[in-house]
Amino acid sequence: YPLLVDGPSTADDVYERLVSAGDDPPLAMSAFEWEAIRVRAGAAGTGEVAAAEGEGPSATHLELLLGAAVDPDKGCYLGQEGVAATSRSSRGPPRRLCWVSFPCDDDADDAVPRIGAGTELFLDAPGGGAAVAAGTVTSVTEPGAVQRGVRLCLALVRRRTLLAALGNDQTGGGGDDALLDGLEVYADVAGDRVPGKIALIP
């Protein structure tokens, strides 16, 4: 279990007590390491919620891939109408939490390290035309923290918008999310175009 404590001195004291209590000591890790594990696991955190609220409606459990965390038969609760509407929609949720990977040189001072929560993603419109707003980066890892030569991020991807841009008919079964897997997008970082690739979180 993760154990969060208030301040380094408290953490040191708790850690020493746990180590002396048995033969299976806990694993200590930095905030950067913890964040890398969370992002690699595809687990939504405060960054996903904050980014979603910043761009409009709060993210629903379906958009954050937390469908199993909500009982559809539960009685009245805060936000029930929005949850029910998203669950009933034949087109599926408008957004979806995905991984986005950006190739990088771990030691290079380039645009990839400047990608952060709130960085906008775009898709080159098939057949030309204006770029399509593809989503927003919500959480980032340090370059190379998960895989050498890659900066792995979480992003709320505009699922319906992308599927429509790719010509997918969403009126029946909610659209084919498999079309998003491996889709090449880019981040605009202060005028620098940084290529990335979407991967679906199972």
Side-chain angles (χ1 to χ4, degrees):
Y1 297 95
L3 184 61
L4 305 179
V5 294
D6 184 21
S9 60
T10 305
D12 290 341
D13 182 52
V14 170
Y15 182 74
E16 290 302 323
R17 288 171 183 260
L18 290 172
V19 167
S20 62
D23 298 328
D24 190 14
L27 176 64
M29 66 180 66
S30 69
F32 291 114
E33 292 169 320
W34 175 253
E35 188 71 352
I37 290 171
R38 182 183 69 78
V39 170
R40 181 63 187 93
T46 55
E48 284 64 51
V49 176
E53 290 174 344
E55 85 170 26
S58 297
T60 68
H61 68 298
L62 293 177
E63 292 175 321
L64 297 178
L65 310 179
L66 297 172
V70 175
D71 182 354
D73 300 321
K74 182 177 172 64
C76 294
Y77 58 89
L78 187 63
Q80 180 183 18
E81 293 82 3
V83 167
T86 304
S87 300
R88 287 194 305 262
S89 172
S90 63
R91 297 172 61 203
R95 297 169 298 187
R96 186 188 200 282
L97 191 64
C98 292
W99 287 304
V100 180
S101 58
F102 296 95
C104 66
D105 181 339
D106 298 345
D107 302 316
D109 182 18
D110 59 13
V112 174
R114 290 187 277 130
I115 292 171
T119 298
E120 296 293 330
L121 302 173
F122 299 91
L123 170 72
D124 285 325
V132 177
T136 307
V137 172
T138 55
S139 290
V140 298
T141 61
E142 292 298 305
V146 175
Q147 178 183 347
R148 185 160 182 79
V150 171
R151 183 167 207 183
L152 187 66
C153 304
L154 289 177
L156 267 174
V157 169
R158 296 183 182 190
R159 176 186 166 276
R160 288 183 189 167
T161 300
L162 292 178
L163 290 175
L166 296 171
N168 183 251
D169 180 8
Q170 305 167 57
T171 57
D176 187 1
D177 282 10
L179 292 173
L180 303 178
D181 201 28
L183 187 65
E184 294 183 356
V185 293
Y186 68 91
D188 184 355
V189 183
D192 290 329
R193 180 186 170 111
V194 185
K197 187 177 290 187
I198 292 174
L200 293 182
I201 300 170

